[in-house]
């Protein structure tokens, strides 16, 4: 029986409450992915560079989110307006109609910072902290906001037409491509490649931290994908968000993740006869990246196929990048985020994978991917190119050998382990 | 004042939205327990077997969830239908009426995968990866779905009558008993027992990771128990989930967890004079297991008693398993999940512990526990027995001595720590 | 179009459902902060004291939450009633009108346990476990409940007037001041200070764990602050919580955290020329503490200023405590929680930082801070003073040198690392 009680519950505020309980919850989950990236990347670098990697992760968020508020939000609005001949409001972010507008901003910010932090994994172990932070300022203030201005915020590419549900290309593809570009410009770590062009493996210091980071990322990814599915981003905040396809997103995200692990593990095992732990972990992530742009409209079996392919390409693309491009992508961010993101954004253009009536154009997807990739490479190359020309991109040979923890931060991440007599009770570290 | 605004808010979709915001949130929390299990187990194994343990955890989810979708969901429906003479629908999982049906499936899947991953902790350090994965396939596809088919899905035991609110027996008891069975069949690690039958302690490599895992599990457990309390699993998705006893579940879960830590710490301290850190940690978990089947109907003081007993039995049962059964249950999964789960499922049959009118039959609980335990032992013994007969259950003595990380995965989890000269900059690992 | 369907959805239960979905979700997030504190503190202590620190963290929750239920809730109600001449009900906690009252209690308990666990970071490495646990019993049962009884629960300070939105002073300031008091009484670790009064740095054993803990805490803090913003704590549970300023809280929490990192990093870099990783991490937390009391009423730029100042004071206050007070505050809990909490609670009294009409009195804030600080110092000094007089506060010199893991817990946290031959396969640890 329906009883209507005389209390402060009107339909609009009920919808607002439900919507924002959800948006806030998933925003927090996506924020937590920074802990995931921090652990994943820390685990995959040498112990002498761990604190540096962790510092970069924390500064990515701290510097980036301030820039994205002070500059990025406005750039996004301007780009969206200018490229479609529409209106835009400068500084609207500083005095939204309702403070809920700031929740919407934060929901956008956690996606932006995900793209930003991906880059740090590619350039680990040899880039100057100030160079990395400088790039983060540009990425959060301009480079990423241009991407979202053109797309989700309603700019030219949105008018043209494309499908990227939760950022498989806009966030992950962009971050992975930026990372590869940055790694190419800063150059490989010392001894990563021999004079004859052959590659050396420089193992990370802790698979445990890397897997912990992976599982934190998978947790946060449910917020990323399923969160977006029921977020009221496209409508009026007082209308209830649509729960019509949230189940599809939950299922395809789950299956894509699982298939990615199996795809990567399978190919890696074919190559070496052993099930490489880091390929299983990164395969879960590649599978997730692969289905992030299309999770709302693919069938359950397409999630297995696309996730599986996104995982399977990981060991292959990683080797191609290493052997033929000679780029030292330390944490494999290009195969995990870049090529997997591109793959997913293209495969959704093939009708067999989608539910009836999805109507995604492969041609448009190609154009969309090309524009995002082109802009990202161009802008990233420009920032790091200038830094390189100024001699400000790379630490000295001595600092790299000593490790960036000591040289850039003055700390030893594990003073009691690994190296003798670096610290004793009461001694100076 | 109540204002009814002319917008897209009808009572049914309001209920659906609230219900699924909640179910999705707690489903993500329960998924995150995989990070907890991974860290808890990794911390309790030797450093040479850490990557193996982590790989098993990731593959449990990846292989298991695909099996549970492709096969398990259907097996569950068939068992429920067949054992009650009712109808069942084959393949309904592949085309649910609403995609929300897939959210319901995922909510079930995270419980299933919890049961599955428990087993890996018991058999650490000596089982072949392929044997473990084979078992996971059977567990996710058949063994666990038979259990839930008989019970929560409405099969014969449900008709008979029993009380297991959130899986104290169905999930944890089942997983703990399966783990003990598997550990018995695969045999103890080398040097775990001496020729005279006395036992050696093989300490885990990191208490920090173990405690981290414990606290992640406690976090996820709120989703497990309190999540179930307000989940609309028993009713129509368009009716609002009942919040009538969610507070009791939140309270008894909290007190049971706390009392479990004190119970285990107390008994351990009586035995050795010291407060063992891992007993405190595992005691929190045993306390949680103990109240998981009964959390909705016990009094606050019963939560302290049952949680305390579940913790107190942990050091005792662990020693019994070691001394008398000579089973090498590496991560103590039987005392933490098995015996604690059985204890809780039985104690809820004693009226003094429950709220008035709970009406749980101790006899029925005994039958329920016996059926689940019997089936689990039988099915697990069958799978591992066949694998053993085929010579496929255990790694070679050399591989076990070298560690499973190197022999099964070709990796070194901590190349810079613990062992000299395993890796240098630019060197092959 | 609005359709009113004849089903079990009445306005009151809709409001209750939404409110409690939110309160439970954020309560779980705040609970998870214990994992954050455990990792942050474990990372900042020596490897020989890690298990001790972790045990303290688990027992803080386990002992504390039971005390807060059995005693603390009633003490809080009594203090609130007695100091305002109002009524109070003894034992109401044991039989609330609805079990939702227990959710409200748990929401309060996670704040209480946050205050409690802060103390453990200050006294790491030399306090007897029983002394620490004894203090936790008093803190959870009396000391903290007196504070909330006087304030949030409606006691004398509430009648007097003050502003502390989510516990910047009540939780963090209180915890930080208690920690400093405790550290002063127990005395510094061996060799922390030289005979000439100069200080030695004793580095923690793992920056990775410390940063992991930091990021977990930041994640949980969104629950802490934003959670409080939409929690129906002040009103009838059947009225919908207010979402009017939740966006402001989300924004200022984000900006305060980010500015705290930059403030601390900036000052630390000015002092040493290097960007200290732990200052960045603890700066994020200090920034969060700084805006926790005022997050609902400050402007966006005030969040940058207050967060930045809270971060900037961290390296300075840490040095003052070390150099002039000669107190060994191991995990910097006073500068992170204490002085940052006081700073934020005072700055909100300056009108320029707040939105129009906030109307916070600086005089009242000074009185509020002084009362909380005075009571905390007094009560903490009393408990630890008595323990010290009984010779029960500090472990022996030998135990401290051996490390508390061995002497108090009989364990070795990392048996395979750092020290030779402490464990071999099959050997006794």
């Amino acid at each position: 029986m329906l009883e209507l009680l005389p209390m402060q519950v009107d339909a609009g505020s009920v919808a607002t409450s439900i919507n924002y309980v959800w948006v806030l919850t998933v925003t927090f989950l996506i924020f937590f992915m920074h802990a995931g990236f921090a652990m994943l990347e820390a685990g995959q670098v040498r112990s002498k560079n761990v604190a540096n990697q962790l510092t970069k992760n924390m500064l990515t968020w701290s510097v980036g989110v301030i820039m994205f508020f002070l500059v990025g939000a406005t750039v996004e609005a301007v780009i969206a307006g200018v490229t479609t001949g529409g209106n835009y409001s400068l500084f609207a972010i500083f005095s939204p109609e309702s403070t809920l507008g700031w929740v919407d901003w934060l929901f956008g910010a956690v996606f932006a910072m995900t793209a930003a932090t991906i880059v740090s994994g590619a350039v680990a172990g040899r880039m100057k902290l100030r160079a990395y932070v400088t790039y983060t300022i540009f990425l959060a203030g301009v480079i990423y906001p241009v991407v979202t201005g053109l797309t989700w915020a309603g700019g030219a590419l949105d008018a043209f037409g494309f499908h990227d549900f939760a950022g498989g290309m806009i966030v992950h593809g962009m971050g992975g491509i930026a990372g590869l570009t940055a790694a190419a410009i800063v150059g490989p770590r010392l001894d990563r490649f021999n004079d004859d062009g052959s590659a050396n493996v420089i193992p990370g210091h802790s698979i445990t931290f890397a897997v912990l980071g992976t599982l934190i990322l998978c947790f946060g990814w449910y917020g990323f994908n399923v969160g977006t599915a029921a977020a009221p981003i496209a409508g009026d905040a007082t209308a209830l968000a649509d729960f019509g396809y949230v189940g599809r997103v939950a299922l395809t995200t789950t299956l894509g993740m699982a298939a990615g692990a199996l795809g990567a593990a399978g190919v890696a095992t074919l190559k070496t006869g052993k099930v490489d732990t880091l390929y299983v972990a990164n395969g879960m992530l590649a599978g997730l990246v692969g289905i992030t742009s299309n999770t709302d409209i693919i069938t359950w079996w397409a999630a297995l196929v696309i996730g599986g392919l996104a995982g399977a390409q990981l060991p292959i693309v990683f080797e191609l990048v290493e052997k033929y491009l000679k780029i030292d992508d330390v944490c494999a961010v290009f195969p995990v985020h870049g090529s997997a993101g591109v793959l997913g954004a293209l495969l959704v253009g093939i009708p067999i994978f989608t539910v009836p009536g999805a109507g995604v154009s492969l041609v448009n997807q190609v154009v969309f991917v090309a524009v995002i990739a082109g802009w990202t490479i161009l802008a990233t190359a420009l920032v790091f190119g200038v830094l390189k020309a100024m001699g400000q991109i790379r630490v000295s040979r001595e600092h790299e050998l000593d490790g960036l923890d000591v040289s850039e931060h003055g700390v030893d991440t594990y003073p009691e382990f690994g190296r003798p007599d670096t610290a004793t009770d009461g001694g100076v570290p």
Side-chain angles (χ1 to χ4, degrees), chain A:
Chain A
M1 205 200 70
L2 176 70
E3 263 187 272
L4 295 172
L5 302 180
M7 48 179 48
Q8 281 181 299
V9 178
D10 65 85
S13 67
V14 164
T16 298
S17 299
I18 297 171
N19 289 342
Y20 281 96
V21 161
W22 178 250
V23 170
L24 287 166
T25 300
V26 299
T27 297
F28 304 162
L29 286 184
I30 302 170
F31 167 76
F32 191 45
M33 291 174 76
H34 284 276
F37 279 110
M39 293 301 109
L40 175 62
E41 296 176 6
Q44 291 184 90
V45 304
R46 302 261 301 151
S47 67
K48 67 181 181 183
N49 296 322
V50 171
N52 175 257
Q53 203 61 24
L54 297 168
T55 310
K56 280 183 191 159
N57 277 281
M58 293 188 288
L59 290 180
T60 301
W61 173 257
S62 301
V63 171
V65 85
I66 292 176
M67 280 305 296
F68 190 68
F69 181 73
L70 295 180
V71 180
T74 305
V75 168
E76 181 183 283
V78 169
I79 292 290
V82 164
T83 63
T84 55
N87 294 318
Y88 53 89
S89 153
L90 290 173
F91 313 121
I93 189 66
F94 302 108
S95 53
E97 245 178 85
S98 143
T99 78
L100 292 175
W102 284 334
V103 177
D104 297 340
W105 168 80
L106 186 59
F107 184 61
V110 291
F111 283 80
M113 295 306 109
T114 300
T117 204
I118 289 169
V119 179
S120 65
V123 299
R126 74 276 204 196
M127 185 178 277
K128 282 193 180 187
L129 184 66
R130 74 185 67 170
Y132 177 75
V133 171
T134 301
Y135 177 71
T136 298
I137 290 172
F138 281 98
L139 184 141
V142 180
I143 305 175
Y144 178 85
V146 166
V147 171
T148 49
L150 286 171
T151 54
W152 287 337
L157 277 171
D158 189 54
F160 175 74
F162 72 94
H163 192 85
D164 187 352
F165 182 67
M169 183 64 207
I170 290 174
V171 176
H172 293 280
M174 187 270 180
I177 289 168
L180 188 71
T181 308
I185 296 174
V186 74
R189 285 168 293 175
L190 295 173
D191 293 332
R192 179 68 171 84
F193 295 104
N194 299 317
D195 291 340
D196 65 359
S198 62
N200 296 310
V201 174
I202 303 178
H205 88 291
S206 170
I207 291 177
T208 321
F209 279 123
V211 171
L212 171 63
T214 300
L215 293 170
I216 292 176
L217 285 171
C218 294
F219 174 48
W221 222 297
Y222 277 113
F224 214 90
N225 282 11
V226 188
T228 301
I233 43 172
D236 184 331
T238 55
L240 202 58
D242 183 11
F243 273 73
Y245 53 95
V246 72
R248 179 174 304 280
V249 173
L251 178 69
T252 55
T253 297
T254 300
L255 295 180
M257 182 203 313
L262 301 190
V267 171
T269 306
L270 282 179
K271 291 174 70 168
T272 68
K274 310 226 170 179
V275 183
D276 185 287
T277 306
L278 284 176
Y279 273 132
V280 175
N282 280 310
M284 292 175 84
L285 301 179
L288 284 164
V289 170
I291 53 78
T292 292
S293 59
N294 48 50
T295 179
D296 58 324
I297 54 172
I298 56 174
T299 65
W300 64 262
W301 61 263
L304 290 172
V305 173
I306 298 176
L309 288 174
Q313 60 84 37
L314 162 59
I316 298 165
V317 172
F318 182 77
E319 196 176 310
L320 293 176
V321 168
E322 183 185 65
K323 284 218 173 138
Y324 297 99
L325 299 182
K326 308 282 181 208
I327 297 176
D328 182 14
D329 176 5
V330 179
C331 299
V333 310
F334 181 71
V336 171
H337 299 275
S339 51
V342 169
L343 183 77
L346 296 181
L347 291 181
V348 71
I350 301 174
I352 194 176
F353 291 129
T354 57
V355 295
V360 178
S361 154
L362 180 56
V363 172
N364 282 26
Q365 292 300 101
V366 171
V367 172
F368 160 65
V369 165
V371 171
I372 305 296
W375 162 250
T376 301
I377 293 170
L378 196 78
T380 303
L382 183 67
V383 174
F384 282 119
V386 170
L387 286 165
K388 190 171 189 175
M390 295 167 65
Q392 290 298 328
I393 197 172
R394 189 159 179 148
V395 300
S396 69
R397 182 182 165 81
E398 289 66 39
H399 282 187
E400 188 173 340
L401 286 173
D402 289 347
L404 276 61
D405 290 6
V406 169
S407 62
E408 296 259 304
H409 307 282
V411 302
D412 183 352
T413 303
Y414 304 109
E416 301 182 53
F417 304 122
R419 278 174 266 173
D421 54 66
T422 43
T424 53
D425 246 337
V428 177

